[in-house]
Structure formats: C-alpha cells, structure tokens
Amino acid sequence: MKKGDKVRFLHETGGGTVSGFQGKNIVLVEDEDGFEIPMLMTDVVVIGNEDYSTTNVVNAKAKEQRASSDGRSIKALMRDGEDDAERGARESGAGQGGKADEIDYSKVTFRPPVEERKGGNQLSAYLAFVPIDIKEVTHTRFETYLVNDSNYYLNCIYLVAEGNSWTLRWQGEVEPNTKEFIEEFGREELNTLDRVAIQMTAYKREKPFTLKPTTDVQFRIDGVKFYKLHTFEENEFFEQPALLYTIIENDRVTRPLVLDAQRLKEQMYHTEPADKTRVARRPQVITRRKGDEDVVVVDLHADALLDTTAGMTSMDILNYQLDKFRKTLAEHSNEKGRRIIFIHGKGEGVLRQALINDLRYRYKSYTYQDASFQEYGYGATQITIK
C-alpha cells in the first residue's frame, strides 16, 4: 500500500485515496470531500481504480477474509465470534434470517375458544352404533361413536366386559358439541360387546364452570337388535339412522341397564318391616293370541298385577313381578316349544334386565329374544321353553 492508492473501508461504508501514514499501523485516507481519515491498515483494502459501490466493498471484504483465513468458508469465519448463547439462539431459530427462523407449527398449542350453545351447560352424552350400509343391515359392519351434546369437554373411557373382567377399548377426550369415532366392528364381534361401560369426567378449559359428578354407566348390548332395521332410528347427530344408548341427558344419568347379580339377589330377598301395608293383588293376567294357541302373553306391568301399590317400595314391586315371571315359567316348564311373551314395558329397563338375569342363571336352557316390535314395540320379551 502506497500513497495515491485507492482504498475502501472493510467495516464501514466509504473509502478514498491514501494520503500518508502514521506510524506502522495507521494509514491516512483522504475522502472525496478532502478530509483525512486515520484508519488501521487492517481495516482498509486497496481497490485500484474500481468505483466505491457497496458490491465492491463486500467483494473486497470477502477477498481479504479468504486471504487471511485457513480455507474455511465465510459462514464459518462469521461463527468464530459467536458465544454459546448466540449460537444456541441461532440454532433454535431465534436468530435473524435463514431456515432457522422458520416457525415449527407442530409445536403451536393455541386452541380457538369453544363456541358454546344455549342449553349446552347441561350434560347430554350418548353411545352410538351406526351401520355403514343401512341398506344391507343384515351384513354391514358398524361404527361406534361417543356423542357429546354439551358445552363441556368429556374425558371418557370405553370398556367391554370379558367374563368378570374388563378390557379398555378406547380412552380420550371428546370436545364440546362433537362426536368422536371409537372403532369399527363386524357381526362376528357382537358377542364381545354383550356388556359395555362408559366412565367420564366433564370440565371446561380456561374458564370457571359448574362441577359435574363423575359418570359411570353400564349397558347390556342386545346383539339381536343389530339385525333389525327398525332398531336404527333417524337422529340429529348422524345423517343416517343409528342405535343410541343414553349415557346422560340434561344432567340426569341413565340408570344402569346391567344390575349386579349379587346385589339384585340381596335386594330381592330383603325383608321389609312387619307393619308394611298389605296390598290387595289381582290374579296374574294371562292371555293367548287368537289363532296362535302356543303363545302365552303375560302383562307384568304393576297396574295389571296389583289393585294398589300403596305402601310398596320399587323393590317390593319388582320382587312381585319377578315372582309372577317365575311362576309362569314353572307352570309351562313341561310344555316344550311353548312361547311365552312377557310385556314389561320400556321404562328404564330395570325389570327387563332382572328377567334377563334370571334367564341367564336360572333358566339357561330357555331361549329368548325381543318380541314382535309391530305388536309390542320395545317393551316385550319372547321366551321359548326348551
């Protein structure tokens, strides 16, 4: 470098002509306005007759760095000045520019606020079975859903009984006013769904709410229903007909359709105090359908069996109905092939389940099924003496 050489500054914009030197390390650079600027020799580069554009400055700087480096790239040289904190910030995407600054959207946890509907602060939830092809109901497969018709989140567990033990089939969260797919199954699996249970806890996110009791409900799933077209009804949750079991509706938990056998036995043989009001009772109501002498029809409704239920508890009435049920079966026990239809009503399903419990454990050889829907609706069971 000598007087008269044109130079550019490496670390800032500008340059000029070398007008002199101070000591061994300082060069005086005269700019285009005639001012002399002292600069370290290492901070200027000779550019000959080139212009002073920014492009030339960058190119000159790069050449100077390459000339003084050990062959590493400019990017590597730039990183030499980083401390550990800066390097960590750059590599985690906190730096400026480059792919490191791209947002990893998989880590975004923002949830849009739930749109609540009027009346949705009372819990309503359903277990739904939906045929995939309703036109082929005797051959189609089915889908299982949990329907949450409320403004609450539901943390649910779906269980299936295997003998005296239970198997977890699904666990998860059902968002407010949505339905959640659980599983798909075929007819070959119907026997494994004989008894199912739903346990769930309700809550809201990021806002106060009314505490709801934990729900624990069991259902007896009747496989025969899956072969009947009328079982699947139009509903507001699915575009196609579905079979719905109510878990809870308007904060009222459905009464379990499965009664514990031991508990039922204890309640059936429970003795009430001796001063209970005596009840006048009618004879058992038995009718036979015209033209079908092998069918016996028995109405088990309390008002068909009793003149009055004054002083009776619900368990008293249930015991009396079961007693009539057993006496009827005993009366016809020797009549092989005899069909008996017991009208028990739909109600909450307690009487029907008590009858089914007896059939499973007391009358294992007898077969049973839902009676004709056209004649009795949902509230009758047909039993065949074997």
Side-chain angles (χ1 to χ4, degrees):
M1 186 181 300
K2 61 184 185 298
K3 286 184 179 182
D5 285 344
K6 292 182 178 181
V7 297
R8 260 294 183 187
F9 303 144
L10 286 177
H11 301 296
E12 57 185 270
T13 303
T17 304
V18 176
S19 60
F21 300 92
Q22 290 182 353
K24 296 181 179 181
N25 300 320
I26 304 299
V27 59
L28 300 176
V29 180
E30 183 180 339
D31 63 13
E32 58 185 10
D33 295 324
F35 293 100
E36 285 189 340
I37 304 171
M39 298 288 294
L40 288 172
M41 288 185 179
T42 55
D43 290 340
V44 298
V45 61
V46 177
I47 59 174
N49 293 322
E50 298 178 18
D51 60 26
Y52 300 137
S53 66
T54 302
T55 302
N56 288 327
V57 174
V58 174
N59 291 338
K61 182 176 179 180
K63 291 178 182 178
E64 180 70 15
Q65 287 180 326
R66 284 197 295 270
S68 62
S69 70
D70 54 3
R72 291 176 294 165
S73 67
I74 294 174
K75 190 175 182 180
L77 291 170
M78 291 173 65
R79 290 179 181 174
D80 283 346
E82 290 183 340
D83 58 23
D84 291 340
E86 291 172 333
R87 185 176 295 109
R90 174 180 52 75
E91 292 178 352
S92 65
Q96 298 297 320
K99 292 185 177 180
D101 295 325
E102 294 179 1
I103 299 174
D104 183 0
Y105 290 100
S106 66
K107 296 180 181 179
V108 176
T109 58
F110 170 75
R111 291 174 180 261
V114 173
E115 293 186 8
E116 297 192 347
R117 62 177 179 79
K118 186 177 180 180
N121 286 327
Q122 288 188 318
L123 286 185
S124 290
Y126 308 88
L127 176 65
F129 297 103
V130 183
I132 294 177
D133 185 359
I134 191 64
K135 295 180 180 179
E136 297 290 339
V137 70
T138 57
H139 301 94
T140 186
R141 293 176 63 81
F142 301 90
E143 293 178 336
T144 306
Y145 289 87
L146 279 172
V147 179
N148 179 8
D149 189 26
S150 74
N151 294 334
Y152 283 74
Y153 287 86
L154 298 179
N155 190 353
C156 300
I157 296 177
Y158 176 62
L159 305 140
V160 173
E162 293 184 0
N164 294 324
S165 61
W166 292 86
T167 299
L168 177 65
R169 293 283 280 261
W170 184 85
Q171 184 276 329
E173 183 182 72
V174 185
E175 295 185 353
N177 301 302
T178 61
K179 53 182 180 285
E180 186 75 22
F181 172 77
I182 303 301
E183 63 179 354
E184 179 183 321
F185 63 92
R187 297 190 177 281
E188 67 280 1
E189 299 175 73
L190 279 175
N191 290 336
T192 67
L193 299 176
D194 181 56
R195 195 154 50 107
V196 303
I198 305 292
Q199 297 176 336
M200 66 185 196
T201 304
Y203 51 90
K204 292 187 179 182
R205 295 184 182 278
E206 301 175 356
K207 64 188 307 182
F209 58 88
T210 302
L211 185 63
K212 305 290 185 179
T214 300
T215 303
D216 185 355
V217 176
Q218 296 182 32
F219 297 106
R220 181 78 70 181
I221 305 300
D222 187 353
V224 176
K225 291 183 180 294
F226 289 79
Y227 290 87
K228 300 179 178 180
L229 185 61
H230 65 259
T231 295
F232 303 94
E233 300 180 331
E234 298 292 335
N235 59 90
E236 58 183 318
F237 306 117
F238 301 92
E239 294 182 358
Q240 64 268 48
L243 171 59
L244 297 179
Y245 286 84
T246 301
I247 301 170
I248 184 171
E249 193 165 58
N250 297 327
D251 279 347
R252 296 185 62 184
V253 180
T254 184
R255 292 187 63 177
L257 300 184
V258 175
L259 301 180
D260 180 81
Q262 183 61 35
R263 183 182 176 189
L264 179 60
K265 182 177 179 181
E266 292 173 357
Q267 291 175 330
M268 287 166 54
Y269 290 98
H270 176 67
T271 303
E272 297 291 342
D275 61 349
K276 276 285 182 182
T277 304
R278 286 192 168 273
V279 181
R281 299 174 179 175
R282 297 179 183 176
Q284 183 179 8
V285 179
I286 299 179
T287 60
R288 285 183 170 83
R289 294 194 320 208
K290 293 180 179 180
D292 198 354
E293 294 299 323
D294 66 329
V295 176
V296 175
V297 181
V298 181
D299 191 345
L300 292 179
H301 283 99
D303 59 358
L305 300 177
L306 302 166
D307 289 327
T308 177
T309 57
M312 296 183 72
T313 65
S314 297
M315 189 51 62
D316 290 332
I317 297 172
L318 177 61
N319 287 336
Y320 188 75
Q321 291 168 317
L322 286 173
D323 185 53
K324 292 301 181 183
F325 169 74
R326 292 166 186 157
K327 286 181 177 179
T328 302
L329 292 182
E331 179 183 344
H332 299 280
S333 61
N334 295 324
E335 303 174 16
K336 305 298 183 183
R338 169 73 72 187
R339 287 178 291 165
I340 306 175
I341 294 175
F342 290 95
I343 302 174
H344 44 69
K346 185 178 179 182
E348 295 177 330
V350 176
L351 174 57
R352 178 184 184 277
Q353 188 52 49
L355 302 185
I356 299 302
N357 188 74
D358 255 23
L359 288 166
R360 287 177 178 274
Y361 296 100
R362 288 174 176 253
Y363 309 100
K364 296 181 180 180
S365 62
Y366 295 177
T367 60
Y368 64 92
Q369 65 186 64
D370 289 342
S372 171
F373 175 76
Q374 293 181 344
E375 294 186 54
Y376 307 102
Y378 290 108
T381 298
Q382 176 179 298
I383 298 170
T384 303
I385 304 295
K386 296 292 186 178

